[in-house]
Amino acid sequence: MSNTRKTTGKTSATDRMRAARAQAERSDRIRRRVVVGGASAAVLALVAGVAFAVSGSSGSTDAATNGPLVVPANASGTDGTVITYGKADAPHTLEVYEDFRCPFCEQLETTTGKAIQQLADAGTYKVEYHLATFLDKNLGGKGSRTALAAAGAALNEGVDKFKQFHDVLYANQPDERTDDFGDVNHILDLAGQVPGLKTDGFVKAVQDGTYAPWAARVNEEFNKSDVTGTPTVKLDGRKLDVLTGGKAVSPEQFTAMVKQVTG
């Protein structure tokens, strides 16, 4: 399965870039997204099916992340770092681990995301989103954590608003070599695609970085998990192979996987 993975060591930047180029040429969905950063760029062994390395921290240095912790309304989990979409009494739980800048997450969401949502809406399972900001450290910039903080502001407006905003971000994900999501004004422009989201409270929260400390806490919890790559999807604790050969599985394939687990 191709996904973004955790790493603690350093590998050759030349080898990583060569591997990235080889994989990008084979995958139309990647759209030749080649990471051209230095030794800290986290592209590892793409030819072996691994897309990006996940570091142990976000590399966040923004003063805003050190401000008061404000947990969005509608956050779930014992520490308020999980976003749950779907019926609370659903008999199964689908865990989704993502980073808003991760191109393989974009593949999953734009290819299979509708099927994931439809099964949640039908009550087959509830979805628990566990989000990360590691690509800011790996690629430079602050797009992952800015997007996540804005997603917290959307969650504060409602779970449905979060889900719609989540989908808009992936539908408009920039090339990972850029940091467009680090621009608050760009984020607010995208938020305009979600009907009713841009309330005065939402806009102020995004501009002020109200949920930046929460985003940092969410990333910390991601780092404590046993997940080694994004996207990672688990159904009732069982990992689903949602990427094959660098491409997301089809909606039909995903549905078949779910039926295999749920019976």
Side-chain angles (χ1 to χ4, degrees), residues 71-206:
V71 177
N74 307 302
S76 58
T78 56
D79 52 6
T81 59
V82 179
I83 300 96
T84 303
Y85 176 86
K87 300 176 181 179
D89 60 351
H92 304 281
T93 300
L94 188 80
E95 297 173 88
V96 177
Y97 295 79
E98 296 177 322
D99 184 308
F100 281 118
R101 289 180 72 183
C102 168
F104 289 94
C105 298
E106 178 267 339
Q107 284 191 48
L108 177 66
E109 290 295 343
T110 58
T111 301
T112 320
K114 187 173 182 180
I116 293 174
Q117 179 175 342
Q118 287 174 337
L119 289 170
D121 291 342
T124 301
Y125 51 63
K126 58 182 176 291
V127 183
E128 291 184 350
Y129 289 98
H130 303 264
L131 301 172
T133 64
F134 67 89
L135 279 174
D136 286 347
K137 179 178 182 180
N138 293 353
L139 303 176
K142 58 182 181 180
S144 290
R145 62 185 185 271
T146 301
L148 179 51
L155 179 62
N156 194 63
E157 299 291 324
V159 175
D160 288 344
K161 290 292 187 288
F162 160 81
K163 182 61 170 64
Q164 292 175 63
F165 184 55
H166 164 277
D167 294 350
V168 165
L169 288 174
Y170 278 116
N172 294 274
Q173 186 191 74
D175 186 297
E176 74 272 6
R177 291 170 296 181
T178 72
D179 194 34
D180 291 358
F181 280 174
D183 182 349
V184 169
N185 291 326
H186 180 58
I187 290 289
L188 288 172
D189 285 343
L190 293 177
Q193 298 183 30
V194 179
L197 176 58
K198 290 183 68 174
T199 64
D200 290 344
F202 171 84
V203 172
K204 179 174 173 50
V206 173

Side-chain angles (χ1 to χ4, degrees), residues 44-68:
L44 298 175
L46 282 170
V47 293
V50 178
F52 293 95
V54 179
S55 69
S57 69
S58 69
S60 173
T61 57
D62 280 4
T65 63
N66 297 319

